[in-house]
Amino acid sequence: MPARDSRGRPGLNPGRRNENADFTCIRCKRSITANAFGTRHRNHCPYCLWSRHLDDEPGDRQSLCRNPMEPIAIEVRDGGEWAIIHRCTGCDKIGVNRLAGDDHELALLAIALRPLARPAFPLDILDGARGGGWGAVP
Ligand SMILES: [Zn+2]
Ligand SMILES: [Zn+2]
């Protein structure tokens, strides 16, 4: 009697055959292999972290937008896991994506540190806060 579990589970995966296709990064043009540790839906470049708007729902590859998605921020989840926030340059859709195991740490740090490297207010107000302000005992 032939094994049934290894192959035939009819109806579970219609139309998902290209899910893990290799691709060329839309931003830095490196060629990316789709199989990476830590994700089932590799959708961003491990070097520059840019993505592409392919999904309406995670992994469905049904979006007609197809514009580049810029990595704009890092989210820290419960337990310390990081996720990348992407914003589509075409339609402004926001997406949250898990890291892949081979994402480059420096590229991730560059995004995480961006607001600290470019504060929207002068940092010397922190000096002023030491003498009174925030840390003062009433
Ligand atoms: Zn890239
Ligand atoms: Zn889009």
Side-chain angles (χ1 to χ4, degrees), residues 8 11 17 26 38 40 43 46 59 68 71 79 86-87 92-93 101 116 119 122 128 130-132:
R17 60 220 169 270
I26 200 166
R40 286 186 303 127
N43 58 8
H86 285 100
R87 182 176 58 210
D92 282 343
K93 178 191 162 94
L116 297 181
R130 259 190 312 213

Side-chain angles (χ1 to χ4, degrees), residues 53 63 65-67 69 88-93:
H53 189 178
S63 175
C65 179
R66 312 242 146 200
N67 278 291
M69 295 188 77
C88 180
T89 58
C91 69
D92 282 343
K93 178 191 162 94

Side-chain angles (χ1 to χ4, degrees), residues 8-78:
R9 278 187 292 170
L12 263 188
N13 287 314
R16 301 182 84 187
R17 60 220 169 270
N18 289 327
E19 179 181 319
N20 284 326
D22 295 353
F23 62 95
T24 300
C25 175
I26 200 166
R27 179 75 175 181
C28 68
K29 311 300 184 197
R30 288 179 170 93
S31 56
I32 312 301
T33 116
N35 293 313
F37 175 77
T39 181
R40 286 186 303 127
H41 309 298
R42 149 80 79 201
N43 58 8
H44 60 266
C45 169
Y47 305 102
C48 70
L49 307 178
W50 278 64
S51 182
R52 192 170 186 182
H53 189 178
L54 297 178
D55 299 344
D56 288 328
E57 301 297 328
D60 72 0
R61 300 298 190 259
Q62 295 300 305
S63 175
L64 300 176
C65 179
R66 312 242 146 200
N67 278 291
M69 295 188 77
E70 180 182 8
I72 57 169
I74 301 291
E75 177 195 11
V76 183
R77 298 181 162 178
D78 291 346

